[in-house]
CSV table of all heavy atoms in Angstrom, one decimal:
chain,number,residue,atom,x,y,z
S,91,MET,N,-3.5,-34.1,-18.0
S,91,MET,CA,-2.3,-33.4,-17.3
S,91,MET,C,-2.4,-31.9,-17.4
S,91,MET,O,-2.8,-31.4,-18.4
S,91,MET,CB,-1.0,-33.9,-18.1
S,91,MET,CG,0.2,-33.4,-17.4
S,91,MET,SD,1.7,-34.2,-18.2
S,91,MET,CE,2.9,-33.0,-17.8
S,92,ALA,N,-2.1,-31.3,-16.3
S,92,ALA,CA,-2.3,-29.8,-16.2
S,92,ALA,C,-1.2,-29.1,-17.0
S,92,ALA,O,-0.1,-29.7,-17.3
S,92,ALA,CB,-2.1,-29.4,-14.7
S,93,ASP,N,-1.5,-27.9,-17.5
S,93,ASP,CA,-0.6,-27.1,-18.2
S,93,ASP,C,0.6,-26.8,-17.3
S,93,ASP,O,0.4,-26.6,-16.1
S,93,ASP,CB,-1.2,-25.8,-18.7
S,93,ASP,CG,-2.2,-26.1,-19.7
S,93,ASP,OD1,-2.2,-27.1,-20.4
S,93,ASP,OD2,-3.1,-25.2,-19.9
S,94,PRO,N,1.8,-26.7,-17.9
S,94,PRO,CA,3.0,-26.3,-17.0
S,94,PRO,C,2.8,-24.9,-16.6
S,94,PRO,O,2.2,-24.1,-17.3
S,94,PRO,CB,4.2,-26.5,-18.0
S,94,PRO,CG,3.6,-26.5,-19.3
S,94,PRO,CD,2.2,-27.0,-19.2
S,95,THR,N,3.3,-24.6,-15.5
S,95,THR,CA,3.3,-23.2,-15.0
S,95,THR,C,4.2,-22.3,-15.9
S,95,THR,O,5.3,-22.7,-16.2
S,95,THR,CB,3.8,-23.1,-13.5
S,95,THR,OG1,3.0,-24.0,-12.7
S,95,THR,CG2,3.7,-21.7,-13.0
S,96,GLU,N,3.6,-21.1,-16.2
S,96,GLU,CA,4.4,-20.2,-17.0
S,96,GLU,C,4.2,-18.8,-16.3
S,96,GLU,O,3.1,-18.4,-15.9
S,96,GLU,CB,3.8,-20.1,-18.4
S,96,GLU,CG,4.5,-19.1,-19.3
S,96,GLU,CD,3.9,-19.1,-20.7
S,96,GLU,OE1,2.9,-18.4,-20.9
S,96,GLU,OE2,4.5,-19.8,-21.5
S,97,ALA,N,5.3,-18.1,-16.3
S,97,ALA,CA,5.3,-16.7,-15.9
S,97,ALA,C,5.7,-15.8,-17.0
S,97,ALA,O,6.9,-16.0,-17.5
S,97,ALA,CB,6.2,-16.4,-14.6
S,98,LEU,N,4.9,-14.9,-17.5
S,98,LEU,CA,5.2,-14.1,-18.6
S,98,LEU,C,5.2,-12.6,-18.2
S,98,LEU,O,4.3,-12.1,-17.6
S,98,LEU,CB,4.0,-14.3,-19.7
S,98,LEU,CG,4.0,-13.4,-20.9
S,98,LEU,CD1,5.3,-13.6,-21.7
S,98,LEU,CD2,2.8,-13.6,-21.7
S,99,ILE,N,6.4,-12.0,-18.4
S,99,ILE,CA,6.6,-10.6,-18.0
S,99,ILE,C,6.2,-9.7,-19.2
S,99,ILE,O,6.9,-9.7,-20.2
S,99,ILE,CB,8.0,-10.4,-17.6
S,99,ILE,CG1,8.5,-11.3,-16.5
S,99,ILE,CG2,8.2,-8.9,-17.2
S,99,ILE,CD1,10.0,-11.3,-16.2
S,100,PHE,N,5.1,-9.0,-19.0
S,100,PHE,CA,4.7,-8.1,-20.1
S,100,PHE,C,5.5,-6.8,-20.1
S,100,PHE,O,5.9,-6.3,-19.1
S,100,PHE,CB,3.2,-7.7,-19.9
S,100,PHE,CG,2.2,-8.8,-20.3
S,100,PHE,CD1,1.6,-9.5,-19.3
S,100,PHE,CD2,1.9,-9.1,-21.6
S,100,PHE,CE1,0.7,-10.5,-19.6
S,100,PHE,CE2,1.0,-10.1,-21.9
S,100,PHE,CZ,0.4,-10.8,-20.9
S,101,ASP,N,5.8,-6.4,-21.3
S,101,ASP,CA,6.5,-5.1,-21.4
S,101,ASP,C,5.6,-4.0,-20.8
S,101,ASP,O,4.4,-4.0,-21.1
S,101,ASP,CB,6.8,-4.7,-22.9
S,101,ASP,CG,7.9,-5.6,-23.5
S,101,ASP,OD1,8.6,-6.3,-22.7
S,101,ASP,OD2,8.0,-5.5,-24.7
S,102,HIS,N,6.1,-3.2,-19.9
S,102,HIS,CA,5.4,-2.0,-19.3
S,102,HIS,C,4.1,-2.5,-18.6
S,102,HIS,O,3.1,-1.7,-18.5
S,102,HIS,CB,5.0,-1.0,-20.4
S,102,HIS,CG,6.0,-0.7,-21.4
S,102,HIS,ND1,7.3,-0.3,-21.0
S,102,HIS,CD2,6.1,-0.9,-22.7
S,102,HIS,CE1,8.0,-0.1,-22.1
S,102,HIS,NE2,7.4,-0.5,-23.2
S,103,GLY,N,4.1,-3.7,-18.1
S,103,GLY,CA,2.9,-4.2,-17.4
S,103,GLY,C,3.2,-5.3,-16.4
S,103,GLY,O,4.3,-5.4,-15.9
S,104,PRO,N,2.1,-6.1,-16.1
S,104,PRO,CA,2.2,-7.1,-15.1
S,104,PRO,C,3.0,-8.4,-15.5
S,104,PRO,O,3.4,-8.5,-16.6
S,104,PRO,CB,0.8,-7.4,-14.8
S,104,PRO,CG,0.1,-7.3,-16.1
S,104,PRO,CD,0.8,-6.1,-16.8
S,105,ILE,N,3.0,-9.3,-14.5
S,105,ILE,CA,3.5,-10.6,-14.8
S,105,ILE,C,2.3,-11.5,-14.7
S,105,ILE,O,1.6,-11.6,-13.7
S,105,ILE,CB,4.5,-11.1,-13.7
S,105,ILE,CG1,5.8,-10.1,-13.7
S,105,ILE,CG2,4.9,-12.5,-13.9
S,105,ILE,CD1,6.7,-10.4,-12.5
S,106,LYS,N,2.1,-12.2,-15.8
S,106,LYS,CA,1.0,-13.1,-15.9
S,106,LYS,C,1.5,-14.5,-15.5
S,106,LYS,O,2.4,-15.0,-16.2
S,106,LYS,CB,0.4,-13.2,-17.3
S,106,LYS,CG,-0.8,-14.2,-17.4
S,106,LYS,CD,-1.3,-14.2,-18.9
S,106,LYS,CE,-2.3,-15.3,-19.1
S,106,LYS,NZ,-2.7,-15.4,-20.5
S,107,VAL,N,0.9,-15.1,-14.5
S,107,VAL,CA,1.2,-16.5,-14.1
S,107,VAL,C,0.0,-17.4,-14.5
S,107,VAL,O,-1.1,-17.0,-14.2
S,107,VAL,CB,1.4,-16.6,-12.6
S,107,VAL,CG1,1.8,-18.0,-12.2
S,107,VAL,CG2,2.5,-15.6,-12.2
S,108,SER,N,0.3,-18.5,-15.2
S,108,SER,CA,-0.7,-19.4,-15.6
S,108,SER,C,-0.3,-20.8,-15.5
S,108,SER,O,0.9,-21.1,-15.4
S,108,SER,CB,-1.1,-19.1,-17.1
S,108,SER,OG,0.0,-19.2,-17.9
S,109,GLY,N,-1.2,-21.7,-15.5
S,109,GLY,CA,-0.9,-23.1,-15.4
S,109,GLY,C,-1.4,-23.6,-14.0
S,109,GLY,O,-2.4,-23.1,-13.5
S,110,GLU,N,-0.7,-24.5,-13.5
S,110,GLU,CA,-1.1,-25.0,-12.2
S,110,GLU,C,-0.1,-24.4,-11.1
S,110,GLU,O,1.1,-24.6,-11.2
S,110,GLU,CB,-0.9,-26.6,-12.1
S,110,GLU,CG,-1.5,-27.2,-10.9
S,110,GLU,CD,-1.5,-28.7,-10.9
S,110,GLU,OE1,-2.0,-29.2,-12.0
S,110,GLU,OE2,-1.1,-29.3,-10.0
S,111,PHE,N,-0.7,-23.6,-10.2
S,111,PHE,CA,0.2,-22.9,-9.2
S,111,PHE,C,-0.6,-22.6,-8.0
S,111,PHE,O,-1.9,-22.6,-8.1
S,111,PHE,CB,0.8,-21.6,-9.8
S,111,PHE,CG,-0.2,-20.6,-10.2
S,111,PHE,CD1,-0.7,-19.6,-9.3
S,111,PHE,CD2,-0.8,-20.6,-11.5
S,111,PHE,CE1,-1.6,-18.7,-9.7
S,111,PHE,CE2,-1.8,-19.7,-11.9
S,111,PHE,CZ,-2.2,-18.7,-10.9
S,112,VAL,N,0.0,-22.3,-6.9
S,112,VAL,CA,-0.6,-21.8,-5.7
S,112,VAL,C,0.1,-20.4,-5.4
S,112,VAL,O,1.3,-20.3,-5.5
S,112,VAL,CB,-0.4,-22.7,-4.5
S,112,VAL,CG1,-0.9,-22.1,-3.2
S,112,VAL,CG2,-1.0,-24.1,-4.8
S,113,LEU,N,-0.7,-19.4,-5.2
S,113,LEU,CA,-0.2,-18.1,-4.8
S,113,LEU,C,-0.4,-17.9,-3.3
S,113,LEU,O,-1.5,-18.0,-2.8
S,113,LEU,CB,-1.0,-17.0,-5.6
S,113,LEU,CG,-0.5,-15.6,-5.4
S,113,LEU,CD1,0.9,-15.4,-5.9
S,113,LEU,CD2,-1.5,-14.6,-6.1
S,114,LYS,N,0.8,-17.6,-2.7
S,114,LYS,CA,0.8,-17.5,-1.2
S,114,LYS,C,1.2,-16.1,-0.8
S,114,LYS,O,2.0,-15.5,-1.4
S,114,LYS,CB,1.7,-18.6,-0.6
S,114,LYS,CG,1.2,-20.0,-0.8
S,114,LYS,CD,2.1,-21.0,-0.1
S,114,LYS,CE,1.6,-22.4,-0.3
S,114,LYS,NZ,2.5,-23.4,0.3
S,115,ASP,N,0.7,-15.7,0.4
S,115,ASP,CA,1.2,-14.4,1.0
S,115,ASP,C,2.5,-14.6,1.8
S,115,ASP,O,3.0,-15.7,1.8
S,115,ASP,CB,0.1,-13.8,1.8
S,115,ASP,CG,-0.3,-14.5,3.1
S,115,ASP,OD1,0.5,-15.5,3.5
S,115,ASP,OD2,-1.3,-14.2,3.7
S,116,GLY,N,2.9,-13.6,2.4
S,116,GLY,CA,4.2,-13.6,3.2
S,116,GLY,C,4.2,-14.6,4.4
S,116,GLY,O,5.2,-14.9,4.9
S,117,GLN,N,3.0,-15.0,4.8
S,117,GLN,CA,2.8,-15.9,5.9
S,117,GLN,C,2.6,-17.3,5.4
S,117,GLN,O,2.3,-18.2,6.2
S,117,GLN,CB,1.7,-15.5,6.8
S,117,GLN,CG,2.1,-14.3,7.8
S,117,GLN,CD,2.2,-13.0,7.0
S,117,GLN,OE1,1.3,-12.6,6.3
S,117,GLN,NE2,3.4,-12.3,7.2
S,118,GLY,N,2.6,-17.5,4.1
S,118,GLY,CA,2.4,-18.9,3.6
S,118,GLY,C,1.0,-19.3,3.4
S,118,GLY,O,0.7,-20.4,3.1
S,119,ARG,N,0.1,-18.3,3.5
S,119,ARG,CA,-1.4,-18.6,3.3
S,119,ARG,C,-1.7,-18.4,1.8
S,119,ARG,O,-1.3,-17.5,1.2
S,119,ARG,CB,-2.2,-17.6,4.2
S,119,ARG,CG,-2.0,-17.8,5.6
S,119,ARG,CD,-2.9,-16.8,6.4
S,119,ARG,NE,-2.5,-15.5,6.1
S,119,ARG,CZ,-2.2,-14.5,7.0
S,119,ARG,NH1,-2.3,-14.8,8.3
S,119,ARG,NH2,-1.9,-13.3,6.6
S,120,ALA,N,-2.5,-19.4,1.3
S,120,ALA,CA,-2.8,-19.4,-0.1
S,120,ALA,C,-4.0,-18.4,-0.4
S,120,ALA,O,-4.9,-18.3,0.4
S,120,ALA,CB,-3.2,-20.8,-0.5
S,121,PHE,N,-3.9,-17.7,-1.4
S,121,PHE,CA,-5.0,-16.8,-1.9
S,121,PHE,C,-6.1,-17.7,-2.5
S,121,PHE,O,-5.8,-18.7,-3.1
S,121,PHE,CB,-4.5,-15.9,-3.0
S,121,PHE,CG,-3.7,-14.7,-2.5
S,121,PHE,CD1,-2.3,-14.8,-2.3
S,121,PHE,CD2,-4.3,-13.5,-2.3
S,121,PHE,CE1,-1.6,-13.7,-1.8
S,121,PHE,CE2,-3.6,-12.4,-1.9
S,121,PHE,CZ,-2.2,-12.5,-1.6
S,122,ASP,N,-7.3,-17.3,-2.3
S,122,ASP,CA,-8.4,-18.0,-2.9
S,122,ASP,C,-8.6,-17.4,-4.3
S,122,ASP,O,-9.0,-16.3,-4.5
S,122,ASP,CB,-9.7,-17.7,-2.1
S,122,ASP,CG,-10.9,-18.3,-2.8
S,122,ASP,OD1,-10.8,-19.0,-3.9
S,122,ASP,OD2,-12.0,-18.1,-2.3
S,123,LEU,N,-8.2,-18.2,-5.3
S,123,LEU,CA,-8.2,-17.7,-6.7
S,123,LEU,C,-9.5,-18.1,-7.4
S,123,LEU,O,-9.7,-17.9,-8.6
S,123,LEU,CB,-7.0,-18.2,-7.5
S,123,LEU,CG,-5.7,-17.8,-6.9
S,123,LEU,CD1,-4.5,-18.4,-7.7
S,123,LEU,CD2,-5.5,-16.3,-6.9
S,124,SER,N,-10.4,-18.7,-6.6
S,124,SER,CA,-11.7,-19.1,-7.2
S,124,SER,C,-11.6,-19.9,-8.5
S,124,SER,O,-12.4,-19.6,-9.4
S,124,SER,CB,-12.6,-17.9,-7.3
S,124,SER,OG,-12.8,-17.2,-6.1
S,125,GLY,N,-10.7,-20.8,-8.6
S,125,GLY,CA,-10.6,-21.6,-9.7
S,125,GLY,C,-9.9,-21.0,-10.9
S,125,GLY,O,-9.7,-21.7,-11.9
S,126,ARG,N,-9.4,-19.8,-10.8
S,126,ARG,CA,-8.7,-19.2,-11.9
S,126,ARG,C,-7.4,-19.9,-12.1
S,126,ARG,O,-6.7,-20.3,-11.2
S,126,ARG,CB,-8.4,-17.7,-11.7
S,126,ARG,CG,-9.7,-16.8,-11.8
S,126,ARG,CD,-9.3,-15.4,-11.6
S,126,ARG,NE,-9.0,-15.1,-10.2
S,126,ARG,CZ,-8.5,-14.0,-9.8
S,126,ARG,NH1,-8.3,-13.0,-10.6
S,126,ARG,NH2,-8.2,-13.8,-8.5
S,127,ASP,N,-7.0,-20.1,-13.4
S,127,ASP,CA,-5.7,-20.7,-13.7
S,127,ASP,C,-4.8,-19.7,-14.3
S,127,ASP,O,-3.7,-20.1,-14.8
S,127,ASP,CB,-5.9,-21.9,-14.6
S,127,ASP,CG,-6.5,-21.6,-15.9
S,127,ASP,OD1,-6.8,-20.4,-16.2
S,127,ASP,OD2,-6.7,-22.5,-16.7
S,128,ALA,N,-5.1,-18.5,-14.2
S,128,ALA,CA,-4.2,-17.4,-14.6
S,128,ALA,C,-4.4,-16.1,-13.8
S,128,ALA,O,-5.6,-15.8,-13.6
S,128,ALA,CB,-4.3,-17.1,-16.1
S,129,VAL,N,-3.4,-15.5,-13.4
S,129,VAL,CA,-3.5,-14.2,-12.7
S,129,VAL,C,-2.5,-13.2,-13.3
S,129,VAL,O,-1.4,-13.7,-13.7
S,129,VAL,CB,-3.4,-14.3,-11.2
S,129,VAL,CG1,-4.5,-15.1,-10.6
S,129,VAL,CG2,-2.0,-14.8,-10.8
S,130,ALA,N,-2.7,-11.9,-13.2
S,130,ALA,CA,-1.7,-10.9,-13.5
S,130,ALA,C,-1.3,-10.3,-12.2
S,130,ALA,O,-2.1,-9.7,-11.5
S,130,ALA,CB,-2.3,-9.9,-14.5
S,131,LEU,N,0.0,-10.3,-12.0
S,131,LEU,CA,0.6,-9.8,-10.7
S,131,LEU,C,1.2,-8.4,-11.0
S,131,LEU,O,2.0,-8.3,-12.0
S,131,LEU,CB,1.6,-10.8,-10.2
S,131,LEU,CG,1.1,-12.2,-9.8
S,131,LEU,CD1,2.3,-13.0,-9.4
S,131,LEU,CD2,0.0,-12.1,-8.8
S,132,CYS,N,0.9,-7.5,-10.2
S,132,CYS,CA,1.4,-6.1,-10.3
S,132,CYS,C,3.0,-6.1,-10.1
S,132,CYS,O,3.5,-6.7,-9.2
S,132,CYS,CB,0.8,-5.2,-9.3
S,132,CYS,SG,1.4,-3.5,-9.3
S,133,ARG,N,3.6,-5.4,-11.0
S,133,ARG,CA,5.1,-5.2,-10.8
S,133,ARG,C,5.4,-3.7,-10.8
S,133,ARG,O,6.6,-3.3,-10.7
S,133,ARG,CB,5.9,-6.0,-11.7
S,133,ARG,CG,5.9,-5.6,-13.1
S,133,ARG,CD,6.8,-6.6,-13.9
S,133,ARG,NE,6.8,-6.2,-15.3
S,133,ARG,CZ,7.9,-5.7,-16.0
S,133,ARG,NH1,9.0,-5.4,-15.3
S,133,ARG,NH2,7.8,-5.3,-17.2
S,134,CYS,N,4.4,-2.9,-11.0
S,134,CYS,CA,4.6,-1.4,-11.0
S,134,CYS,C,4.5,-0.8,-9.7
S,134,CYS,O,5.0,0.3,-9.5
S,134,CYS,CB,3.7,-0.7,-12.0
S,134,CYS,SG,2.0,-0.5,-11.4
S,135,GLY,N,3.8,-1.5,-8.7
S,135,GLY,CA,3.7,-0.9,-7.4
S,135,GLY,C,2.5,0.0,-7.2
S,135,GLY,O,2.2,0.5,-6.1
S,136,HIS,N,1.7,0.2,-8.2
S,136,HIS,CA,0.6,1.2,-8.2
S,136,HIS,C,-0.8,0.5,-8.0
S,136,HIS,O,-1.8,1.3,-7.9
S,136,HIS,CB,0.6,2.1,-9.4
S,136,HIS,CG,1.8,3.0,-9.4
S,136,HIS,ND1,2.0,4.1,-8.5
S,136,HIS,CD2,2.9,3.0,-10.2
S,136,HIS,CE1,3.1,4.7,-8.8
S,136,HIS,NE2,3.7,4.0,-9.8
S,137,SER,N,-0.9,-0.8,-8.1
S,137,SER,CA,-2.2,-1.4,-8.0
S,137,SER,C,-2.9,-1.1,-6.7
S,137,SER,O,-2.2,-1.2,-5.7
S,137,SER,CB,-2.1,-2.9,-8.3
S,137,SER,OG,-3.3,-3.5,-8.1
S,138,GLY,N,-4.2,-0.9,-6.7
S,138,GLY,CA,-4.9,-0.8,-5.5
S,138,GLY,C,-5.4,-2.2,-5.0
S,138,GLY,O,-6.2,-2.2,-4.1
S,139,ASN,N,-5.1,-3.2,-5.7
S,139,ASN,CA,-5.5,-4.6,-5.4
S,139,ASN,C,-4.3,-5.5,-5.4
S,139,ASN,O,-4.4,-6.6,-6.0
S,139,ASN,CB,-6.6,-5.0,-6.4
S,139,ASN,CG,-7.2,-6.3,-6.1
S,139,ASN,OD1,-7.3,-6.7,-4.9
S,139,ASN,ND2,-7.6,-7.1,-7.1
S,140,LYS,N,-3.2,-5.1,-4.8
S,140,LYS,CA,-2.0,-6.0,-4.8
S,140,LYS,C,-2.3,-7.3,-4.1
S,140,LYS,O,-3.1,-7.3,-3.2
S,140,LYS,CB,-0.9,-5.2,-4.1
S,140,LYS,CG,-0.4,-4.0,-4.8
S,140,LYS,CD,0.8,-3.4,-4.0
S,140,LYS,CE,1.2,-2.1,-4.5
S,140,LYS,NZ,0.3,-1.0,-4.1
S,141,PRO,N,-1.8,-8.3,-4.6
S,141,PRO,CA,-0.7,-8.4,-5.5
S,141,PRO,C,-1.1,-8.4,-7.0
S,141,PRO,O,-0.3,-8.6,-7.9
S,141,PRO,CB,0.0,-9.7,-5.2
S,141,PRO,CG,-1.1,-10.6,-4.8
S,141,PRO,CD,-2.1,-9.7,-4.0
S,142,PHE,N,-2.4,-8.2,-7.2
S,142,PHE,CA,-2.9,-8.3,-8.6
S,142,PHE,C,-2.9,-7.0,-9.3
S,142,PHE,O,-3.0,-5.9,-8.7
S,142,PHE,CB,-4.4,-8.8,-8.5
S,142,PHE,CG,-4.6,-10.1,-7.8
S,142,PHE,CD1,-5.1,-10.1,-6.5
S,142,PHE,CD2,-4.1,-11.3,-8.3
S,142,PHE,CE1,-5.2,-11.3,-5.8
S,142,PHE,CE2,-4.2,-12.5,-7.6
S,142,PHE,CZ,-4.8,-12.5,-6.3
S,143,CYS,N,-2.7,-7.1,-10.6
S,143,CYS,CA,-2.7,-5.9,-11.4
S,143,CYS,C,-4.1,-5.4,-11.6
S,143,CYS,O,-5.0,-6.2,-11.8
S,143,CYS,CB,-2.1,-6.3,-12.8
S,143,CYS,SG,-2.3,-5.0,-14.1
S,144,ASP,N,-4.3,-4.1,-11.5
S,144,ASP,CA,-5.7,-3.5,-11.7
S,144,ASP,C,-5.7,-2.6,-12.9
S,144,ASP,O,-6.6,-1.8,-13.0
S,144,ASP,CB,-6.2,-2.9,-10.4
S,144,ASP,CG,-5.4,-1.6,-10.0
S,144,ASP,OD1,-4.4,-1.3,-10.7
S,144,ASP,OD2,-5.9,-1.0,-9.0
S,145,GLY,N,-4.6,-2.6,-13.6
S,145,GLY,CA,-4.5,-1.7,-14.8
S,145,GLY,C,-3.9,-0.3,-14.5
S,145,GLY,O,-3.7,0.5,-15.4
S,146,SER,N,-3.6,-0.1,-13.2
S,146,SER,CA,-3.0,1.2,-12.9
S,146,SER,C,-1.7,1.5,-13.6
S,146,SER,O,-1.3,2.7,-13.7
S,146,SER,CB,-2.8,1.3,-11.4
S,146,SER,OG,-4.1,1.3,-10.7
S,147,HIS,N,-1.0,0.5,-14.0
S,147,HIS,CA,0.3,0.7,-14.6
S,147,HIS,C,0.2,1.6,-15.9
S,147,HIS,O,1.0,2.4,-16.2
S,147,HIS,CB,1.0,-0.6,-15.0
S,147,HIS,CG,0.2,-1.5,-15.9
S,147,HIS,ND1,-0.7,-2.4,-15.5
S,147,HIS,CD2,0.2,-1.6,-17.3
S,147,HIS,CE1,-1.3,-3.0,-16.5
S,147,HIS,NE2,-0.7,-2.5,-17.6
S,148,LYS,N,-1.0,1.5,-16.5
S,148,LYS,CA,-1.2,2.3,-17.7
S,148,LYS,C,-1.4,3.8,-17.4
S,148,LYS,O,-0.8,4.7,-18.0
S,148,LYS,CB,-2.5,1.8,-18.5
S,148,LYS,CG,-2.4,0.4,-19.0
S,148,LYS,CD,-3.7,0.0,-19.7
S,148,LYS,CE,-3.6,-1.5,-20.0
S,148,LYS,NZ,-4.9,-2.0,-20.4
S,149,VAL,N,-2.2,4.0,-16.3
S,149,VAL,CA,-2.4,5.4,-15.9
S,149,VAL,C,-1.1,6.0,-15.4
S,149,VAL,O,-0.8,7.2,-15.6
S,149,VAL,CB,-3.5,5.4,-14.8
S,149,VAL,CG1,-3.7,6.8,-14.2
S,149,VAL,CG2,-4.8,4.9,-15.2
S,150,GLN,N,-0.3,5.2,-14.7
S,150,GLN,CA,0.9,5.7,-14.1
S,150,GLN,C,2.1,5.8,-15.2
S,150,GLN,O,3.2,6.3,-14.8
S,150,GLN,CB,1.4,4.8,-13.0
S,150,GLN,CG,0.4,4.8,-11.8
S,150,GLN,CD,0.3,6.2,-11.1
S,150,GLN,OE1,1.2,6.9,-11.1
S,150,GLN,NE2,-0.9,6.4,-10.6
S,151,GLY,N,1.9,5.3,-16.3
S,151,GLY,CA,2.9,5.3,-17.3
S,151,GLY,C,4.1,4.4,-17.0
S,151,GLY,O,5.2,4.8,-17.4
S,152,PHE,N,3.8,3.3,-16.4
S,152,PHE,CA,4.9,2.4,-16.0
S,152,PHE,C,5.7,2.0,-17.2
S,152,PHE,O,5.1,1.6,-18.2
S,152,PHE,CB,4.3,1.2,-15.3
S,152,PHE,CG,5.3,0.2,-14.9
S,152,PHE,CD1,6.3,0.4,-14.0
S,152,PHE,CD2,5.2,-1.1,-15.4
S,152,PHE,CE1,7.2,-0.6,-13.6
S,152,PHE,CE2,6.1,-2.1,-15.0
S,152,PHE,CZ,7.1,-1.8,-14.1
S,153,GLN,N,7.0,2.1,-17.2
S,153,GLN,CA,7.9,1.7,-18.3
S,153,GLN,C,8.9,0.7,-17.8
S,153,GLN,O,9.7,0.9,-16.9
S,153,GLN,CB,8.6,2.9,-18.8
S,153,GLN,CG,7.7,4.0,-19.4
S,153,GLN,CD,7.1,3.5,-20.7
S,153,GLN,OE1,7.8,3.1,-21.6
S,153,GLN,NE2,5.8,3.6,-20.8
S,154,SER,N,8.9,-0.5,-18.4
S,154,SER,CA,9.9,-1.5,-18.0
S,154,SER,C,9.8,-2.6,-19.1
S,154,SER,O,8.8,-3.2,-19.3
S,154,SER,CB,9.6,-2.1,-16.7
S,154,SER,OG,10.5,-3.2,-16.4
S,155,VAL,N,10.9,-2.8,-19.7
S,155,VAL,CA,11.1,-3.9,-20.7
S,155,VAL,C,12.1,-4.8,-20.1
S,155,VAL,O,13.3,-4.4,-19.8
S,155,VAL,CB,11.5,-3.5,-22.1
S,155,VAL,CG1,11.8,-4.6,-23.0
S,155,VAL,CG2,10.4,-2.5,-22.7
S,156,THR,N,11.8,-6.1,-19.8
S,156,THR,CA,12.7,-7.0,-19.2
S,156,THR,C,12.9,-8.1,-20.3
S,156,THR,O,12.0,-8.8,-20.7
S,156,THR,CB,12.1,-7.6,-17.9
S,156,THR,OG1,11.8,-6.6,-17.0
S,156,THR,CG2,13.1,-8.6,-17.3
S,157,GLU,N,14.2,-8.2,-20.7
S,157,GLU,CA,14.5,-9.2,-21.7
S,157,GLU,C,15.1,-10.4,-21.0
S,157,GLU,O,15.9,-10.3,-20.1
S,157,GLU,CB,15.5,-8.6,-22.7
S,157,GLU,CG,14.9,-7.5,-23.5
S,157,GLU,CD,15.8,-7.0,-24.6
S,157,GLU,OE1,17.0,-7.3,-24.6
S,157,GLU,OE2,15.3,-6.2,-25.4
S,158,ALA,N,14.8,-11.6,-21.5
S,158,ALA,CA,15.4,-12.8,-21.0
S,158,ALA,C,16.9,-12.8,-21.2
S,158,ALA,O,17.4,-12.3,-22.2
S,158,ALA,CB,14.8,-14.1,-21.7
S,159,ARG,N,17.6,-13.4,-20.3
S,159,ARG,CA,19.1,-13.4,-20.4
S,159,ARG,C,19.6,-14.7,-19.7
S,159,ARG,O,18.8,-15.4,-19.0
S,159,ARG,CB,19.7,-12.2,-19.8
S,159,ARG,CG,19.3,-12.0,-18.3
S,159,ARG,CD,19.9,-10.7,-17.8
S,159,ARG,NE,19.4,-10.4,-16.5
S,159,ARG,CZ,18.3,-9.8,-16.1
S,159,ARG,NH1,17.5,-9.3,-17.1
S,159,ARG,NH2,18.0,-9.6,-14.9
N,212,FES,S1,1.4,-3.8,-13.2
N,212,FES,FE1,-0.6,-3.4,-13.5
N,212,FES,S2,-1.2,-2.2,-11.9
N,212,FES,FE2,0.9,-2.6,-11.5
């Protein structure tokens, strides 16, 4: 049985999605994830490889702590 899908919001960083999932663009086309079962999605807006995080949040000093509620 596959791992359940999980989305983890990192403090001052990306959202890591892992488990069994399909990532689609705005037209409903699936990204080729080449078998990866985890990706980090940019939420700072500075990645040069959107929707994926490329580490730019560190250079840009992105600050965001999101607490569950
Ligand atoms: S969250 Fe990492 S580059 Fe945007």
Side-chain angles (χ1 to χ4, degrees):
M91 185 171 158
D93 292 336
T95 303
E96 177 180 86
L98 173 62
I99 304 170
F100 286 102
D101 289 350
H102 318 301
I105 298 172
K106 179 184 174 186
V107 181
S108 60
E110 188 171 313
F111 63 89
V112 176
L113 182 64
K114 295 181 178 178
D115 67 12
Q117 283 70 51
R119 296 178 299 229
F121 283 84
D122 177 3
L123 300 178
S124 300
R126 286 184 288 172
D127 62 0
V129 296
L131 301 176
C132 176
R133 69 181 181 109
C134 76
H136 294 289
S137 175
N139 187 31
K140 293 183 189 77
F142 306 103
C143 171
D144 69 356
S146 294
H147 60 272
K148 294 177 189 167
V149 176
Q150 297 294 330
F152 178 63
Q153 296 288 308
S154 177
V155 174
T156 302
E157 295 183 352
R159 55 188 176 271

